[in-house]
Amino acid sequence: MTLNDSLDPENWEDFRRLSHRALDDALDDLMSLRERPVWRETPADALARLDDAAPAQGVGLEQVLAEFVRDIQPFGVGNRHPAFFGWAHGAGTPVGMVAELLSAGLNLNCGGRNHVGVALEKKIAAAMAKLFGFPATASGLFVTGASQANFHGVVMARRAALGADVRENGLQGASLRAYASTQAHGCVEQAMDLAGLGTAALRKIPCDADGRMRLDLLRAAIAADRARGDRPFLLVASAGTVNFGAFDPLEELADLAAREKLWLHVDGAFGALTVFSDKLKPLVAGIERADTIAFDFHKWAHVPYDAGFILARDGAAQRAAFAAPAAYLSRTETGLAKGEIWPCDLGPDLSRGFRALKVWMTLRAYGFARLGECMERNCADARVLAGLIDASEEFVRAAPVPLNIVCFRLKHADDAANRALVERLHVDGVAAPSLTRLDGHTAIRCAIFNHRTRSGDVEAFFNAAREAAKAFQK
Ligand SMILES: *Cc1c(COP(=O)(O)O)cnc(C)c1O
């Protein structure tokens, strides 16, 4: 026996056998998704077995893998399953799974320094800038998700409005005002809070019947704020709203932002990546005029969590908002500390993982056009479901279906009945729609994001919902 003080295995061949088995288990699990319920609650005994989460003495990989297969693997959120229709979740891909394995093997810290991980992140930023029609001055950064990316957008807008001084002396009473629609994601409001501007500084502009921000009301709100002596600085447009996938009128908003000298930030968490599809990309016409775009590779591009991105038209503005001098981060002419711009200059994170690899592998392996085709199929299936809802006796549609999300309700039933119906479907493991509120009432929300979902899955969901509806209708 060799004395092994490191954390590497004593017997690499044993370890190789175990890791191959782990990969096989993971593939078997992925390949048999359809045969299992969409979701199962983590049972109490499995949770209890996870209590000893930080033992002094380890149990070794073989036992840990057995524990993973028994107590963790079966109890995920269900987003890989073709009948998962909740929230806005990506489904992941086998390629992404392999990428995560390889990325963990390299264990790169992508905060900075002169290595291929940092270079690859820049390549992705450049490729996305090109797809969105941004100039060569653009730069971008991986973040956890669109919530974080929207926060970055607000911070950049704040820096652009108040200059370098805001970073040293804070707001100093500046009454900045931002604008987003009433359908904007809640993280925009949260970003205002986190950026020290306060949620009240976000004016929520009502939408038209299609869920698009009303330009007349926006213009009036800006004028009223200016008349009061407040300072409009930021316009947040939604490209794909969370409730039902509406797109704000980007061209008109870009005109208005230019006229009013507002920073134009687009929350395109899932909707921005419709640029991958020739059919869908007219929806984001005008996005090339934004100052910043927030989007998620982990939603409609199915890159494994997490892979949010913030893209800035002007890389200098991104650096101006975040770069900070630190002696231990100083750069050299050659060697490992070379590099004018590091990711840590573009955001607050210093240590950060290699999200670029799973995105690069996904885009290279599938090509963005194929991802775009999956989006188109999801939208077509949403229209199928909308048709079924409209023709049904049990349900009524609660919103338009401009993209891949269908909101509807039980006829002749209250909010509680709609909630109960969704809970029933979850608990039975049949399908997983989610809930939202529209026009002051609960609505069932079916978001079709999964590349594995087929029309048959949508029809099966509709039939199951209709069957379950019997129990909840008056
Ligand atoms: C999902 C979503 C967000 C938040 O993104 P995360 O990746 O979950 O942080 C923001 N805006 C919209 C429109 C979304 O759909």
Side-chain angles (χ1 to χ4, degrees), residues 206-267:
C207 294
D208 63 19
D210 290 322
R212 297 152 59 89
M213 197 191 303
R214 287 259 310 261
L215 289 164
D216 54 335
L217 298 179
L218 171 63
R219 278 191 293 266
I222 293 171
D225 281 338
R226 287 208 195 282
R228 209 177 288 117
D230 292 338
R231 179 151 174 206
F233 83 113
L234 164 66
L235 176 55
V236 179
S238 299
T241 56
V242 59
N243 273 330
F244 57 90
F247 288 74
D248 283 335
L250 298 178
E251 293 282 13
E252 288 83 348
L253 292 179
D255 288 342
L256 195 144
R259 236 181 5 253
E260 298 277 353
K261 300 204 168 24
L262 306 179
W263 185 274
L264 179 61
H265 173 79
V266 176
D267 175 8

Side-chain angles (χ1 to χ4, degrees), residues 88 144-148 150 185 187 240-242 267 269-270 296 298-299:
T144 38
S147 304
Q148 193 66 246
N150 285 326
H185 194 278
C187 68
T241 56
V242 59
D267 175 8
F270 59 86
D296 282 323
H298 56 224
K299 287 178 174 169

Side-chain angles (χ1 to χ4, degrees), residues 93-96 99 102 120-121 123-124 127-128 130-131 142 276 297 301-304 354-372:
T93 66
V95 168
L102 300 180
L120 193 63
E121 186 159 342
K123 299 283 184 198
I124 289 170
M128 295 312 294
K130 199 166 154 219
L131 269 172
F142 278 104
F276 287 171
F297 289 104
H302 303 297
V303 170
F354 192 12
R355 296 186 182 106
L357 184 67
K358 58 192 173 183
V359 171
W360 180 77
M361 282 183 66
T362 300
L363 291 174
R364 288 288 299 168
Y366 295 109
F368 71 76
R370 184 149 169 219
L371 297 171

